[in-house]
Amino acid sequence: MASTTAPGFGEKDKEVQQGDTGSVGSDYVFSSGKGEVFSLQSIDPALNSKMHLVNNAIDEIGWTGYHYKLFVLNGFGYAVDSLLLLLQSITQSQVNLEFNPPFQAGLTIALYVGLLLGALFWGISADIIGRKYAFNFSLLICSVFAISAGASPTYNSLAFFVAISAFGGGGNLILDTTVFLEYLPSSKQWLLTLLACWWGIGQMVAGLVAWGPMSDFSCATVETCTYQNNKGWRIVFYSLGGLVLLMSVARVTVIRLKETPKYLLGQGRDREVVETLQWMATKYNRPCSLTFEQLDACGIIHSSRSKNKVSIHELTIHFRGLFLTKTMAWSTTLIWLSWALIGLAYPLYNVFLPDYLKSRGAALGVTSNYIYWRNYAIIQMTSIWGPVLAGFMCKNRYLGRRGTMAIGALVTMAFLFAYTQVRSNAQNLGFNCAITFSLNIYYGCLYAYTPEVLPSAHRATGNGVSVAFNRIMGIVSAIVGIAANTSTSVPIFICAA
């Protein structure tokens, strides 16, 4: 796949497409100089030249304490996204026992509808009004409604609170990678893949928090299930919702996020671009030779915005910007397809993982709630290390992003097919750990690869639509899970395929 028309920029977020050959490896062949594969020189030479100057300034400043804070605080968003998925997954069976709804997958669909709308809203709005607002407020919305969900008196109210909470958290995958990438120097580009380890941390925390309450405060049958003897799922909602609230407070107190230079540049706010980079250089005692006069001399940007921000024309500009050339159009289409496919496979496995563990555990003679939730927590711990390995694999010049994703996908497929043949409790736990680990290698790379191959002026929009396709297929997965029966191996075969 390595060619001058390959659909991918590689490692550096450069609208100019003039990038960093050192951090990408043999995966990519760049255009000129310090460039990326897709050049906008013929489309908007002013933007092309200005982005080149800004990228050089970011590299000149290098890695700072500000980036450490961004790694952690953006990582919170990753953790919350995975935590939301598992929160619904963990509690769904006990919720169904207590409320006995006519449609058993209602919470799954409510969750994915919220995530879908959140991805589109936060993604598109981030290219119009900026990255900062979504970064500051999305987790707060998510936490308030997650806590409220724990006090839900009816199934319908619970589904509503879950959907609104998911709407708040639905833009995190988009904004976290976008904000982090738009501040990263090229030498640290691999950290964008490593950032996905926070996804695993969110899964681990959800599993550990659920272990105690779900083991000790859960009813067994619909007939005996009451509010009093089934408080475990409510405790999990309160606990994880409270944790997300603390994360949202940290986002606005530990760091005062400044709007990203790449967004400001696309909006024609050159003076603010220089002020932001000079502020960072001064605060961390780093050099920065970029001046307003240098940017101003490049001319006026015409391709990335309209005069009226809130308009159909503005939306059209951001969508059209993803298909400016045949190569960019092909790249965008393949990225969206990749997100759609993994959007079916991942939730079909992970969201229904408690069902698989319970059904296979029972078939193998394991009926203890304690053992069941212990195994669940152990499996989620392994998800941290997939992105860690992926981060180092991406640095290998012979693998790059696409080679790492291919390995992750193939290994996951092999383990999923093997899982259908488990014959012991140890195999049940071991194969689930292996699947979770390898699946997160693929996911971690896809998270990083997506914003890298999208032009920065339209990055949040393209990323938001990618995640939206993922969420649409998540809704489909809920229907497939019911139709295929999660107590059988059919959903696992579908995931593997």
Side-chain angles (χ1 to χ4, degrees), residues 189-376:
Q189 203 75 35
W190 64 276
L191 287 172
L192 193 62
T193 301
L194 184 62
L195 186 68
C197 73
W198 284 94
W199 175 273
I201 291 173
Q203 290 179 309
M204 179 189 71
V205 169
L208 291 175
V209 168
W211 187 351
M214 296 300 288
S215 297
D216 300 333
F217 304 103
S218 295
C219 60
T221 64
V222 173
E223 293 75 22
T224 61
C225 202
T226 66
Y227 172 86
Q228 294 299 328
N229 68 3
N230 194 42
K231 291 184 177 180
W233 70 268
R234 297 181 186 271
I235 295 172
V236 174
F237 266 102
Y238 292 143
S239 301
L240 295 180
L243 178 61
V244 176
L245 180 61
L246 292 177
M247 291 179 179
S248 70
V249 172
R251 275 195 165 185
V252 296
T253 56
V254 174
I255 191 172
R256 298 296 177 90
L257 182 72
K258 292 182 176 292
E259 196 55 81
T260 68
K262 305 295 178 67
Y263 170 76
L264 295 172
L265 194 66
Q267 296 298 307
R269 294 153 65 179
D270 293 356
R271 199 173 294 277
E272 292 178 62
V273 172
V274 176
E275 289 173 357
T276 298
L277 293 174
Q278 290 291 354
W279 167 84
M280 186 186 298
T282 302
K283 181 176 177 65
Y284 295 99
N285 194 27
R286 300 296 175 83
C288 181
S289 57
L290 182 68
T291 64
F292 170 73
E293 289 72 23
Q294 288 176 311
L295 292 177
D296 191 51
C298 295
I300 299 175
I301 295 172
H302 298 288
S303 65
S304 63
R305 70 188 193 281
S306 69
K307 293 180 180 179
N308 185 2
K309 279 190 173 184
V310 185
S311 65
I312 297 298
H313 185 221
E314 177 77 7
L315 289 176
T316 302
I317 286 174
H318 289 302
F319 277 97
R320 191 173 60 211
L322 302 169
F323 299 90
L324 288 175
T325 67
K326 288 184 178 180
T327 306
M328 289 179 70
W330 180 239
S331 174
T332 300
T333 302
L334 288 179
I335 284 293
W336 288 355
L337 178 62
S338 296
W339 276 96
L341 292 175
I342 195 67
L344 176 63
Y346 185 88
L348 197 54
Y349 171 72
N350 241 43
V351 171
F352 293 104
L353 178 58
D355 293 344
Y356 302 142
L357 284 174
K358 185 168 289 186
S359 62
R360 284 148 185 76
L364 296 169
V366 177
T367 57
S368 166
N369 249 357
Y370 178 85
I371 297 296
Y372 165 60
W373 287 108
R374 182 208 66 183
N375 289 352
Y376 189 82

Side-chain angles (χ1 to χ4, degrees), residues 2-333:
S3 73
T4 54
T5 59
F9 298 178
E11 302 298 294
K12 184 61 178 160
D13 149 62
K14 295 182 174 146
E15 174 87 35
V16 223
Q17 325 340 331
Q18 295 177 335
D20 163 35
T21 57
S23 61
V24 188
S26 60
D27 239 356
Y28 307 93
V29 177
F30 294 91
S31 50
S32 59
K34 212 175 166 198
E36 296 178 351
V37 174
F38 304 145
S39 177
L40 296 182
Q41 181 62 39
S42 61
I43 299 170
D44 194 335
L47 179 59
N48 192 69
S49 301
K50 288 182 179 184
M51 197 66 71
H52 183 49
L53 291 172
V54 169
N55 285 324
N56 286 339
I58 291 174
D59 282 345
E60 184 181 11
I61 294 171
W63 179 264
T64 67
Y66 193 73
H67 295 94
Y68 280 113
K69 293 178 182 179
L70 283 176
F71 181 81
V72 174
L73 297 177
N74 281 296
F76 285 172
Y78 264 87
V80 168
D81 193 273
S82 66
L83 186 148
L84 277 176
L85 286 175
L86 291 198
L87 180 56
Q88 178 274 327
S89 168
I90 288 167
T91 59
Q92 181 169 259
S93 60
Q94 294 307 126
V95 166
N96 288 343
L97 287 177
E98 182 171 331
F99 295 116
N100 194 24
F103 184 58
Q104 299 285 303
L107 278 190
T108 301
I109 291 179
L111 173 78
Y112 274 100
V113 168
L115 290 172
L116 167 62
L117 296 177
L120 291 173
F121 175 81
W122 297 112
I124 294 172
S125 66
D127 275 339
I128 298 174
I129 63 173
R131 323 315 197 191
K132 180 171 65 174
Y133 299 103
F135 181 86
N136 287 339
F137 295 114
S138 59
L139 288 190
L140 179 62
I141 296 171
C142 180
S143 63
V144 169
F145 285 96
I147 294 171
S148 301
S152 300
T154 66
Y155 188 80
N156 288 341
S157 64
L158 174 60
F160 171 78
F161 287 131
V162 166
I164 301 300
S165 177
F167 171 81
N172 281 306
L173 287 184
I174 301 142
L175 269 299
D176 294 328
T177 52
T178 298
V179 169
F180 192 50
L181 177 62
E182 293 186 350
Y183 273 108
L184 266 183
S186 59
S187 63
K188 301 294 183 180
Q189 203 75 35
W190 64 276
L191 287 172
L192 193 62
T193 301
L194 184 62
L195 186 68
C197 73
W198 284 94
W199 175 273
I201 291 173
Q203 290 179 309
M204 179 189 71
V205 169
L208 291 175
V209 168
W211 187 351
M214 296 300 288
S215 297
D216 300 333
F217 304 103
S218 295
C219 60
T221 64
V222 173
E223 293 75 22
T224 61
C225 202
T226 66
Y227 172 86
Q228 294 299 328
N229 68 3
N230 194 42
K231 291 184 177 180
W233 70 268
R234 297 181 186 271
I235 295 172
V236 174
F237 266 102
Y238 292 143
S239 301
L240 295 180
L243 178 61
V244 176
L245 180 61
L246 292 177
M247 291 179 179
S248 70
V249 172
R251 275 195 165 185
V252 296
T253 56
V254 174
I255 191 172
R256 298 296 177 90
L257 182 72
K258 292 182 176 292
E259 196 55 81
T260 68
K262 305 295 178 67
Y263 170 76
L264 295 172
L265 194 66
Q267 296 298 307
R269 294 153 65 179
D270 293 356
R271 199 173 294 277
E272 292 178 62
V273 172
V274 176
E275 289 173 357
T276 298
L277 293 174
Q278 290 291 354
W279 167 84
M280 186 186 298
T282 302
K283 181 176 177 65
Y284 295 99
N285 194 27
R286 300 296 175 83
C288 181
S289 57
L290 182 68
T291 64
F292 170 73
E293 289 72 23
Q294 288 176 311
L295 292 177
D296 191 51
C298 295
I300 299 175
I301 295 172
H302 298 288
S303 65
S304 63
R305 70 188 193 281
S306 69
K307 293 180 180 179
N308 185 2
K309 279 190 173 184
V310 185
S311 65
I312 297 298
H313 185 221
E314 177 77 7
L315 289 176
T316 302
I317 286 174
H318 289 302
F319 277 97
R320 191 173 60 211
L322 302 169
F323 299 90
L324 288 175
T325 67
K326 288 184 178 180
T327 306
M328 289 179 70
W330 180 239
S331 174
T332 300
T333 302

